[in-house]
Amino acid sequence: MRGQNRILPGVALPLILLLSLAPATSRAETPTPTPTVSPARTQVVLLGTGNPSANPDRSGPSVAIVINDTPYIIDCGPGVVRRASAAFRKGVAGLAVPKLKTAFITHLHSDHTLGYPDLIFTPWVLGRKEPLEVFGPVGLKAMTDHILAAYSEDIDIRTNGLEHGNRTGYKVNAHEIKPGVVYKDENVTVKAFLVHHGSWREAYGYRFETPDKVIVLSGDCAPSPSVIENCDGCDVLLHEVYTQVGYDERKEDWRKYITNFHTSTKELAELATKAKPKLLVLYHQMFFGGAKDTEEGLLQEMHQHYAGKVVSAHDLDIY
C-alpha cells in the first residue's frame, strides 16, 4: 500500500527530461514587470493663515507648495521658518529648513514680508548654501538691499568669526516681475497675474501648474476677474476673505477701506462660482465683528451663496 503513492524512478525521470527539453515557447512565460514612475506629489501646506492681528493661533500669511519634496514659498509672514519646521516634523519632508530657497511675494505689505529676513538668514545659518531666489513686485529689490544692509554685522560675524559660515547662503537674487510666466523648472510653471489690492500699484496672485495639480492663490485682493481667469476649473483656489458680520459692525470709513482692499464672503462666493475650483480654501480670514464673528459663521455665509466644496484653513493644514 505504501508503494502506491511513490513516484517510480523509471517513470518520473523521462517525464522530467521531456519537460526540460521542451522548447521555451511551449512553457508558461512570466511577464517582466514594466518599471513605473510614480506621479508627482503636490502638497499645499498652509504655513500661516493669519493677518496683521496678533493671533497666536494663526501665524503670518504664508503658503508652501511642495512638489516632489521641493518647496516653493508664497509670502513670508512672521514665523515662516518655524512653521516650515513644524510642517517638517509633521511629515512634510520637503520643508526641511535648508531646502527653503525659492519664494514668491504677492505684495509688500508688512504682514506678508515680516518673515523675509527669517527666510533669508535662518536657513543659511542652518546649512543652506544656495542663494535665496525671490520673485515679487517692484520694490522687492530695495527691500532686499535694506535687509541685507541692516544685518551686515551679523553676516560679517558669521562668515569671518568662529562660525566660519558659508559665504553664499545668505545672498538673495531678487527678481521684480511682470504679469506672465515668472518661473519654470522640472516641477512647476509659475504664472503671476495682477490683482486689485486698494492703493498698491502692484499686487499679484499666482498660478502654479505642477504635473498633477493646478493651484491658484489670490494673495490679498478685492474681487479680481484675473483670479477667475487663472483658476478656470483649477484644482485648488486659495483666496482671502472677510465676513459680512464683520463688515456690518464697522464704521463707514473702515467699510470704504475694506471693500477696496479685500473680498467679502458673498463676493467670493460669486467669484468662485465662476472660477469653478475643485476645492476652495479660505485663508487670511478676517474677523472684524468681535466675539460673534466666528469661523463657523464664516463658513455659513459661504454656504449660503456657494455650492462648491469649501474649507477654512488653519496653520499646518495640508491639501
Side-chain angles (χ1 to χ4, degrees):
M1 295 294 293
R2 294 178 184 176
Q4 291 179 0
N5 294 327
R6 290 165 54 192
I7 299 174
L8 299 179
V11 175
L13 185 57
L15 180 60
I16 293 170
L17 288 172
L18 284 170
L19 289 173
S20 64
L21 294 172
T25 54
S26 70
R27 302 175 197 169
E29 295 182 0
T30 303
T32 303
T34 302
T36 58
V37 178
S38 298
R41 186 183 180 203
T42 301
Q43 297 168 289
V44 181
V45 185
L46 278 295
L47 299 181
T49 56
N51 51 59
S53 300
N55 183 343
D57 297 320
R58 292 186 181 272
S59 197
S62 183
V63 176
I65 296 178
V66 183
I67 311 156
N68 293 321
D69 289 339
T70 301
Y72 306 85
I73 307 298
I74 304 93
D75 285 334
C76 41
V80 57
V81 175
R82 280 164 176 76
R83 277 299 199 236
S85 185
F88 176 76
R89 286 187 179 181
K90 195 175 177 179
V92 185
L95 286 173
V97 172
K99 288 188 174 185
L100 306 180
K101 56 185 179 180
T102 308
F104 302 84
I105 307 298
T106 60
H107 65 296
L108 300 181
H109 250 149
S110 57
D111 58 315
H112 292 252
T113 55
L114 282 169
Y116 190 21
D118 189 18
L119 196 59
I120 294 171
F121 295 110
T122 306
W124 167 53
V125 171
L126 297 179
R128 186 184 68 207
K129 295 181 174 62
E130 301 86 353
L132 182 65
E133 301 286 341
V134 186
F135 302 80
V138 171
L140 179 63
K141 288 183 178 180
M143 177 180 280
T144 303
D145 290 344
H146 286 300
I147 291 171
L148 292 173
Y151 285 87
S152 59
E153 189 167 356
D154 175 86
I155 294 167
D156 178 63
I157 293 296
R158 290 188 187 278
T159 54
N160 295 316
L162 295 178
E163 292 171 75
H164 303 293
N166 72 70
R167 297 179 181 273
T168 51
Y170 70 86
K171 294 183 178 181
V172 183
N173 294 320
H175 308 268
E176 294 185 345
I177 62 176
K178 296 296 181 187
V181 174
V182 297
Y183 181 87
K184 188 172 185 177
D185 65 15
E186 66 276 9
N187 289 317
V188 67
T189 298
V190 183
K191 180 183 177 184
F193 55 92
L194 288 168
V195 294
H196 177 67
H197 187 42
S199 311
W200 284 97
R201 291 180 299 166
E202 284 189 10
Y204 286 100
Y206 290 99
R207 174 185 168 100
F208 281 70
E209 299 175 5
T210 83
D212 59 331
K213 279 188 174 65
V214 174
I215 303 143
V216 173
L217 304 95
S218 69
D220 283 7
C221 63
S224 299
S226 57
V227 175
I228 300 171
E229 296 164 7
N230 281 277
C231 176
D232 191 24
C234 63
D235 293 287
V236 183
L237 171 61
L238 296 102
H239 205 292
E240 63 118 90
V241 68
Y242 67 88
T243 64
Q244 188 64 40
V245 169
Y247 176 86
D248 292 342
E249 290 295 313
R250 306 301 295 203
K251 295 181 179 179
E252 188 58 35
D253 58 343
W254 186 265
R255 291 181 182 182
K256 184 177 180 181
Y257 152 73
I258 201 70
T259 55
N260 274 280
F261 279 78
H262 298 290
T263 302
S264 71
T265 49
K266 184 177 180 180
E267 291 170 330
L268 179 54
E270 293 172 354
L271 183 150
T273 299
K274 296 175 183 176
K276 296 180 174 61
K278 293 181 178 67
L279 174 64
L280 173 61
V281 178
L282 311 179
Y283 79 137
H284 197 277
Q285 304 95 318
M286 290 161 281
F287 303 99
F288 302 126
K292 66 180 180 180
D293 193 2
T294 65
E295 186 172 49
E296 182 181 2
L298 167 70
L299 287 169
Q300 287 176 353
E301 289 184 10
M302 286 298 306
H303 289 309
Q304 286 174 9
H305 305 286
Y306 181 58
K309 186 177 180 181
V310 57
V311 296
S312 179
H314 300 87
D315 290 14
L316 301 183
D317 281 353
I318 302 171
Y319 301 98

